[in-house]
């Protein structure tokens, strides 16, 4: 019970101090809008292209929302030594890091639904398989957050976290099938797509929204889950090795 | 619920503790024990290994060798095991700048599983104790250095820990805040809290601590009860002579002329006279006047812990303080 009081308060503090601030809320709205507009105009199609773009836009909203904030909530707190307060608290490192990342996951999931709300005014969403979309969004949120966490705990400075994040994020836009099918990529690049976790989440979303997917849903979910576990475990290992020296 | 200090067997037991950072041996095979309810001082210059020791004891740093038991709990392998028993006031304020003073205290209380009503009551109580009630709703970022230090101290004791680690708690704060912090430390000690205090203010350690360990270059060079440490120097009679010229080149001649006394020149140009018997000033004054040196002042000096420190470590206490103050802000003694 005591650990959960700590968990909830870390989450609530982060939400209030970082995620519910106007710049972040606007980031969550403007960024997906800009990407939707850009690809919509680029496609040259009509409103029928909205559904084709939706999985990519949802994913990009989650990816950027989660990874950007972790550089602040983790790396900044480490720099300012306030993270030491958390390390001194009598809760396990696992629960502590889950508390620190839950805010980002929630922020990412909420971000994902901004383009959905916009799309609802432009297209018919009745054909979407929501029981697949919702868990996929949550898992993409978790895996993106843990990727951000892994980056944040592997560096010392905020600018390093931002730079390192971009090193992963921007290639993912093109490699993970968000807006261009993986099959249209050159053959020698395709293996890269399959080592990136987002590929599997986007595949589920494409299947649930447009009925087109490369792998089975079950396999996608299993691989995404495995990425979540591995990235979280690697992040904990890095914290123990680099921060508790 | 917070722990009541009196009901827990609160001790710190450290054996063969070592820590190396690359080529530097920060802590070198130290062993000590802090008894329940004791106020234990850990004194040493910058880089002696004080903070590294606290970090290892509290779980913020890994130890290379040795064992640690806190409150009877073996926590060498699992530093988390005893974290519910300890409070830590670090050497730098590390609260959240974007939260108010009140929010910071409530948040820290929540980290120890305290319920909402309980943590709010305790936060108000501590804000009052530290004279910060009027600043309770101001953001921590806007606090002065002294206020930040006091709130950081309050955050360290929010859960009423039976064992408290204080890392340089009065460094860089004004005289009245430092005095207030020392009174709070003494109050906690009276209530039975076991306190591990690192400080470079020797007078502070002398005034507060029951037992003191001197650490230099990662090694404990001496550890004893404060009264016993003082006894080793207080049997001496010491006289300080302020003279018109530097006494540096006179000490040899004076030692030869007055073999019953020991003469030393101090870093400030004074002559220090030591003797097991009371020192007679007249012959010394005449001796100096014959050499056209005027005695401006002759002052009897009561040896203190500072003298023990200098004797044990070979480090000038004044130099250590200046060095610290340069790094940590203004002094407060």
């Amino acid at each position: 019970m005591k650990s959960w009081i700590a968990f909830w308060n870390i989450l609530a503090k982060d939400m209030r101090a970082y995620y519910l601030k106007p710049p972040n809320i606007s980031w969550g709205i403007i960024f997906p809008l800009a990407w939707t507009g850009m690809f919509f105009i680029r496609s040259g199609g009509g409103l029928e292209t909205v559904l084709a773009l939706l999985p990519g836009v949802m994913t990009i909203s989650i990816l950027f929302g989660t990874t950007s904030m972790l550089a602040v909530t983790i790396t900044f707190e480490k720099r300012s030594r306030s993270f030491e307060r958390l390390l001194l608290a009598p809760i396990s490192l696992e629960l502590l890091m889950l508390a620190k990342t839950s805010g980002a996951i929630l922020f990412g999931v909420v971000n994902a639904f901004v383009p959905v709300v916009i799309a609802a005014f432009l297209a018919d969403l009745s054909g979407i398989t929501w029981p697949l979309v919702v868990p996929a969004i949550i898992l993409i949120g978790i895996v993106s957050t843990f990727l951000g966490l892994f980056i944040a705990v592997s560096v010392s400075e905020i600018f390093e976290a931002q730079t390192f994040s971009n090193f992963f994020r921007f290639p993912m836009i093109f490699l993970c099938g968000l807006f261009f099918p993986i099959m249209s990529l050159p053959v020698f690049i395709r293996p890269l797509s399959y080592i990136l976790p987002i590929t599997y989440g986007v595949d589920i979303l494409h299947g649930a929204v447009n009925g087109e997917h490369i792998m089975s849903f079950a396999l996608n979910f299993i691989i995404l889950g495995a990425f979540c576990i591995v990235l979280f475990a690697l992040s904990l290992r890095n914290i123990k090795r680099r921060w508790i020296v | 619920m917070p722990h009541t200090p009196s009901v827990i067997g609160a001790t710190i037991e450290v054996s063969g503790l070592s820590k190396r950072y690359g080529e530097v041996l920060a802590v070198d095979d130290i062993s000590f024990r802090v008894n329940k309810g004791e106020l234990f001082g850990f004194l040493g210059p910058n880089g002696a290994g004080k903070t590294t020791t606290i970090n290892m004891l509290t779980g913020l740093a890994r130890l290379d060798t040795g064992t640690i038991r806190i409150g009877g709990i073996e926590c060498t392998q699992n530093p988390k095991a005893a974290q519910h028993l300890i409070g830590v006031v670090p050497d730098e304020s590390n609260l959240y700048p974007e939260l108010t003073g009140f929010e910071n205290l409530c948040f820290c209380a929540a980290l120890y599983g305290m319920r909402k009503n309980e943590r709010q009551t305790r936060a108000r109580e501590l804000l009052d104790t530290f004279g910060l009630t009027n600043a309770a709703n101001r953001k921590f970022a806007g606090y002065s250095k002294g206020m930040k230090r006091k709130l950081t101290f309050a955050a360290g004791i929010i859960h009423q820990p039976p064992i408290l680690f204080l890392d340089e708690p009065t460094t860089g704060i004004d005289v009245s805040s430092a005095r207030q912090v020392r009174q709070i430390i003494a109050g906690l000690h009276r209530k039975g809290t076991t306190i591990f205090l690192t400080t470079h203010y020797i007078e502070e350690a002398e005034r507060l601590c029951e037992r003191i360990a001197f650490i230099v270059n990662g090694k404990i060079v001496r550890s004893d009860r404060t009264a016993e440490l003082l006894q080793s120097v207080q049997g001496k009679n010491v006289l300080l002579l302020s003279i018109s010229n530097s006494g540096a080149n006179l000490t040899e001649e004076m030692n030869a002329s007055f073999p019953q006394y020991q003469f030393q020149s101090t870093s400030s140009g004074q002559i220090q006279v030591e003797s097991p018997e009371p020192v007679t000033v007249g012959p010394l004054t005449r001796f100096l006047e014959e050499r056209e040196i005027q005695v401006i002042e002759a002052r009897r000096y009561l040896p203190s812990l500072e003298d023990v420190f200098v004797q044990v470590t070979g480090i000038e206490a004044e130099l250590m303080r200046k060095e610290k103050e340069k790094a940590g802000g203004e002094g407060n003694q």
Side-chain angles (χ1 to χ4, degrees):
Chain A
M1 182 61 192
K2 281 183 178 179
S3 293
W4 289 106
I5 291 176
F7 177 92
W8 170 248
N9 277 275
I10 293 168
L11 170 60
K13 194 274 293 174
D14 279 358
M15 291 302 284
R16 207 169 60 240
Y18 304 123
Y19 296 103
L20 296 180
K21 288 279 162 73
N24 297 321
I25 296 170
S26 62
W27 170 262
I29 296 167
I30 292 169
F31 193 72
L33 268 177
W35 277 91
T36 312
M38 190 171 76
F39 281 100
F40 184 63
I41 293 163
R42 176 71 185 83
S43 71
L47 290 177
E48 69 278 2
T49 56
V50 168
L51 283 181
L53 292 175
L54 192 57
V57 179
M58 280 196 284
T59 308
I60 210 166
S61 303
I62 302 170
L63 184 64
F64 276 75
T66 53
T67 49
S68 305
M69 288 310 294
L70 279 164
V72 179
T73 62
I74 306 279
T75 319
F76 175 73
E77 286 193 6
K78 170 70 171 64
R79 288 286 298 163
S80 66
R81 291 185 62 182
S82 45
F83 199 81
E84 280 179 12
R85 266 206 182 272
L86 305 177
L87 289 174
L88 287 168
I91 55 171
S92 69
L93 189 60
E94 290 77 7
L95 194 67
L96 165 62
M97 294 321 294
L98 282 176
K100 286 302 285 178
T101 48
S102 294
I105 295 167
L106 279 175
F107 185 65
V109 170
V110 170
N111 267 8
F113 282 98
V114 174
V116 174
V117 171
I118 296 166
F121 292 100
L122 304 172
D124 177 15
L125 306 184
S126 60
I128 295 176
T129 317
W130 293 106
L132 282 174
V133 169
V134 174
I137 283 176
I138 293 169
L139 267 180
I140 296 170
I142 296 172
V143 85
S144 306
T145 301
F146 288 172
L147 182 65
L149 175 67
F150 175 69
I151 292 165
V153 299
S154 303
V155 298
S156 310
E157 303 287 344
I158 296 175
F159 79 87
E160 287 176 316
Q162 299 284 18
T163 311
F164 201 17
S165 295
N166 288 337
F167 182 77
F168 279 96
R169 290 187 299 195
F170 284 100
M172 277 194 199
I173 296 173
F174 304 101
L175 293 173
C176 295
L178 270 70
F179 301 105
F180 316 104
I182 291 171
M183 291 305 166
S184 68
L185 295 172
V187 177
F188 63 93
I189 288 181
R190 274 182 226 165
L192 273 180
S193 303
Y194 291 102
I195 59 166
L196 295 169
I198 298 299
T199 302
Y200 305 94
V202 177
D203 197 42
I204 301 170
L205 289 181
H206 276 303
V209 175
N210 302 308
E212 295 161 8
H213 54 105
I214 303 167
M215 283 168 288
S216 76
F217 290 130
L219 184 62
N220 279 327
F221 276 117
I222 289 168
I223 295 173
L224 263 183
F227 265 111
C228 291
I229 293 166
V230 169
L231 283 169
F232 190 61
L234 286 175
S235 303
L236 291 183
R237 185 171 151 267
N238 267 4
I239 292 173
K240 284 177 188 162
R241 286 179 56 171
R242 291 171 52 90
W243 290 8
I244 307 171
V245 289
Chain B
M1 285 292 287
H3 296 273
T4 311
S6 57
V7 298
I8 305 249
T11 54
I12 304 164
E13 293 165 84
V14 169
S15 176
L17 197 64
S18 293
K19 176 74 187 172
R20 182 181 283 279
Y21 291 111
E23 294 293 298
V24 181
L25 187 57
V27 173
D28 184 5
D29 191 24
I30 61 169
S31 302
F32 60 89
R33 179 191 160 92
V34 183
N35 297 319
K36 184 183 167 190
E38 191 174 37
L39 207 166
F40 183 82
F42 211 49
L43 244 79
N46 252 353
K50 303 188 297 290
T51 300
T52 304
T53 304
I54 283 201
N55 284 347
M56 285 191 282
L57 295 176
T58 56
L60 290 179
R62 270 195 305 269
L63 48 152
D64 291 341
T65 60
T67 57
I68 298 171
R69 280 175 80 84
I70 292 191
I73 299 169
E74 168 60 48
C75 41
T76 311
Q77 296 304 321
N78 179 19
K80 286 262 160 210
Q83 278 183 334
H84 62 290
L85 294 176
I86 66 170
V88 182
V89 178
D91 58 345
E92 274 176 46
S93 300
N94 65 352
L95 294 171
Y96 294 90
E98 66 279 5
L99 300 187
T100 65
F102 181 71
E103 287 169 342
N104 261 304
L105 291 186
C106 287
F107 177 70
C108 291
L111 293 178
Y112 292 86
M114 288 167 71
R115 290 177 188 281
K116 195 174 180 183
N117 286 344
E118 198 186 349
R119 55 184 185 250
Q120 287 185 343
T121 308
R122 178 78 177 137
R124 284 194 196 97
E125 184 188 310
L126 284 173
L127 285 165
D128 183 46
T129 305
F130 283 88
L132 294 169
T133 304
N134 290 337
N137 296 317
R138 271 167 53 191
K139 292 248 165 81
F140 183 68
Y143 275 29
S144 69
K145 203 170 181 181
M147 289 161 81
K148 281 183 176 171
R149 213 66 200 103
K150 286 197 273 185
L151 197 77
T152 306
F153 196 113
I157 57 170
I158 188 89
H159 56 298
Q160 293 174 274
I163 303 168
L164 185 59
F165 291 92
L166 302 173
D167 196 0
E168 310 271 4
T170 57
T171 298
I173 60 174
D174 61 87
V175 177
S176 70
S177 297
R179 188 178 150 82
Q180 193 185 7
V181 166
R182 278 196 288 269
Q183 282 168 350
I184 289 165
I185 296 171
L188 288 166
H189 176 46
R190 272 195 302 276
K191 285 181 189 163
T193 306
T194 305
I195 301 173
F196 183 93
L197 168 80
T198 77
T199 180
H200 65 278
Y201 294 125
I202 297 173
E203 300 91 331
E204 183 170 275
E206 184 176 339
R207 214 176 302 172
L208 291 170
C209 301
E210 291 169 291
R211 228 154 39 87
I212 290 171
F214 294 112
I215 180 168
V216 182
N217 295 329
K219 268 190 174 301
I220 291 181
V221 288
R222 182 147 181 214
S223 172
D224 212 334
R225 299 192 64 77
T226 311
E228 267 140 47
L229 289 169
L230 285 167
Q231 213 172 30
S232 65
V233 288
Q234 282 183 342
K236 289 178 186 168
N237 292 284
V238 181
L239 191 75
L240 274 175
L241 295 173
S242 300
I243 52 174
S244 53
N245 298 349
S246 167
N249 46 9
L250 279 171
T251 51
E252 212 172 302
E253 198 184 341
M254 290 181 92
N255 274 320
S257 304
F258 301 93
Q260 70 275 35
Y261 304 147
Q262 260 198 323
F263 296 88
Q264 277 180 330
S265 65
T266 67
S267 53
S268 51
Q270 294 171 311
I271 296 176
Q272 184 176 309
V273 193
E274 274 186 32
S275 164
E277 301 300 323
V279 180
T280 318
V281 186
L284 298 177
T285 314
R286 274 195 296 279
F287 175 89
L288 290 165
E289 280 173 353
E290 279 165 15
R291 281 150 189 82
E292 295 183 342
I293 293 167
Q294 287 213 322
V295 176
I296 298 161
E297 188 188 22
R299 188 161 49 91
R300 191 166 174 250
Y301 171 74
L302 193 68
S304 66
L305 194 64
E306 187 168 315
D307 299 280
V308 183
F309 180 81
V310 174
Q311 196 180 73
V312 167
T313 64
I315 297 165
E316 279 283 347
E318 188 63 25
L319 282 177
M320 180 174 93
R321 181 158 46 229
K322 280 179 184 163
E323 191 184 310
K324 269 281 176 180
E325 278 163 11
K326 219 189 287 174
E330 67 208 78
N332 58 47
Q333 292 299 291

